[in-house]
Amino acid sequence: MPNTSPETNVIAYRAAEQLLDARDPRGALKLLDPVITAHPENTAARLLRARAFFLAAQLRAAEQEFQLIIEREPDNAFAHFALARTLQRANRNAEAVRHFRLAAALDPRPDYLEAARFEQTP
C-alpha cells in the first residue's frame, strides 16, 4: 500500500469527493478504500463511500455502510435519509419510510419532511 500519511488521506478524500460530484462512483471508491482502511472510524469517509456505493448501484454495500454510520451516530439525519433512499431503491418501501421519518424528526428539512409522508401510514 502506498504511503498513507494524513495529508495523503485528505488529498484522496477530496479527490474522491470530486469524482463523486463528476458521477464517477467507482473511481471514488478506489480512492476511499485505503483511507477507510487507515481510518475505519472516520465517519465522513464512510459516508462518502456509502454515497459512492449508492451511485454505483451497489445497494447492499451502501445499506451496510449507512447502517454502520447510524450505529455510530444515531442522530445523523442525512444517514437515515440516505439509507431510506437506498432501501426505497431496493423496493423495501416499508423499511424506507421508517428511516425517512427518523430523518425528518431529527432535521425537519422540507425534502426530509416530504419524503417522510407523515400524513400517510406506511
Side-chain angles (χ1 to χ4, degrees):
M1 183 160 78
N3 181 13
T4 57
S5 70
E7 295 81 13
T8 303
N9 289 324
V10 169
I11 291 167
Y13 177 86
R14 297 292 180 218
E17 281 182 319
Q18 291 178 346
L19 287 172
L20 207 54
D21 288 344
R23 301 304 235 193
D24 182 3
R26 286 180 178 81
L29 287 168
K30 287 178 188 172
L31 291 175
L32 289 168
D33 285 342
V35 174
I36 291 170
T37 298
H39 303 282
E41 74 291 346
N42 187 312
T43 302
R46 287 194 173 275
L47 198 53
L48 194 61
R49 182 164 74 168
R51 290 178 47 221
F53 282 138
F54 179 83
L55 289 174
Q58 296 179 32
L59 300 182
R60 185 70 187 130
E63 177 186 353
Q64 289 173 335
E65 203 69 45
F66 286 127
Q67 286 283 12
L68 179 68
I69 294 162
I70 289 168
E71 285 173 22
R72 292 178 179 179
E73 297 180 2
D75 60 345
N76 187 321
F78 178 79
H80 281 286
F81 184 78
L83 175 59
R85 286 275 186 238
T86 303
L87 294 168
Q88 185 181 53
R89 195 167 170 192
N91 293 316
R92 293 164 55 194
N93 293 325
E95 293 172 78
V97 167
R98 176 179 176 267
H99 286 282
F100 279 134
R101 289 180 176 178
L102 283 166
L106 290 165
D107 183 358
R109 294 171 32 151
D111 53 337
Y112 291 4
L113 289 168
E114 182 181 342
R117 300 186 310 237
F118 283 116
E119 68 283 352
Q120 300 173 6
T121 56

